[in-house]
Amino acid sequence: MKTIIAAYSQNLSGSRASVHSALRTLLAAPWPSQRDVRSWLQLLSVLQWVLSFLLLGPVSLLLLIYLVFTSFWPISALYLAWIILDWDTPERGGRRLPCLRRWPVWRHFRDYFPVKLVKTHDLSPSHNYIIGSHPHGILCVGAFCNFITGSTGFREMFPGIQPFLTTLAGNFRLPLFREYLMSGGLCPVTRRAIGYLLSQNGTGNAVAIVIGGAAESLSCRPGVTTLILKNRKGFVRMALQYGANLVPSFSFGENDLFRQVVFEEGGWMRSIQLRFQKMLGFAPCVFYGRGVTSVRSRGFLPYARPITTVVGEPVTVPKIEDPSRETVDMYHEMYVRSLLKLFNENKTKYGMAETDELHIL
């Protein structure tokens, strides 16, 4: 018995020594610093955003189709009925959730790049506005962060102004993705949806439109500042019809977030991109960014490059229900001049050279 007790005591002492040794090794190991933790949180916030925009819609659609052939088919049937009943909501102001705008993850998203908003002039809450957002880039990071999230202080800089951001109408036909978009304050880039916000939603509304759209994304690459704007005049006509002032904005650094394979004009790959753009409203871009595990690897995450969105001086627009082509052209020219002024006055402040020019096609 004494021999058994002695052996047990010896094993117990050995176990304690092993535990103490393991604890000492653990405590001696370097713990992640606050800076490391912040970097991980920033990376995860950008990852969830990219995955949401690229995969949430298609994956949800495929899942609902799959459920139709299982015993869970009532889920698909009920959601289809809900979409039919809720079909017009995106074009009637959507269904914004203020808590989503204040979601803490957006602060980490902002700090990853980082994204900054610069105000140059006041916007009166007694008017409505159409904000032209330039350039499109690949994923419109600057426009999303400034006009949808509250992380850059838009509501504090422009008190009484409610921002909205427009995107492709087809996105609001995808299950679950449409709810995600509406909850943040996005709406379809259609005449009906924009007209509702400018006429049926009171004053103090600022509808941001990425004017260049899919065509502009095809020429997006670092160091290139080319905008598709010369023949884009529908937003000016709507501003005149509803008496909404035009506000130019430019996101410096937007084109530096990804690298894109740009195909030659007239080539077969370029023709495929243009055909997709005409049929579906978007152009498939061949682009890459950094990887998830290393900035040196290639992946689908944007590079961490600073983005500064400057909101320029409003162009006062009268209300004309049926503006002539000459009137539209005149206010379009005024808008372009205001945008060029904004670009030239701020380009050297935010990473561009004095010799850099804004090319408008």
Side-chain angles (χ1 to χ4, degrees), residues 344-355:
N344 290 324
E345 288 180 351
N346 292 277
K347 60 184 179 182
T348 57
K349 299 177 185 177
Y350 305 115
M352 303 190 74
E354 184 66 40
T355 55

Side-chain angles (χ1 to χ4, degrees), residues 67-78:
L67 292 178
V68 169
F69 302 98
T70 70
S71 58
F72 296 101
W73 64 266
I75 296 177
S76 298
L78 288 172

Side-chain angles (χ1 to χ4, degrees), residues 88-96 164 182 185-187 193 196-197 201:
D88 291 334
T89 299
E91 294 191 324
R92 291 182 171 274
R95 191 166 41 248
R96 184 194 295 265
F164 296 86
M182 284 193 292
L186 285 98
C187 61
Y196 180 89
L197 294 173
N201 204 41

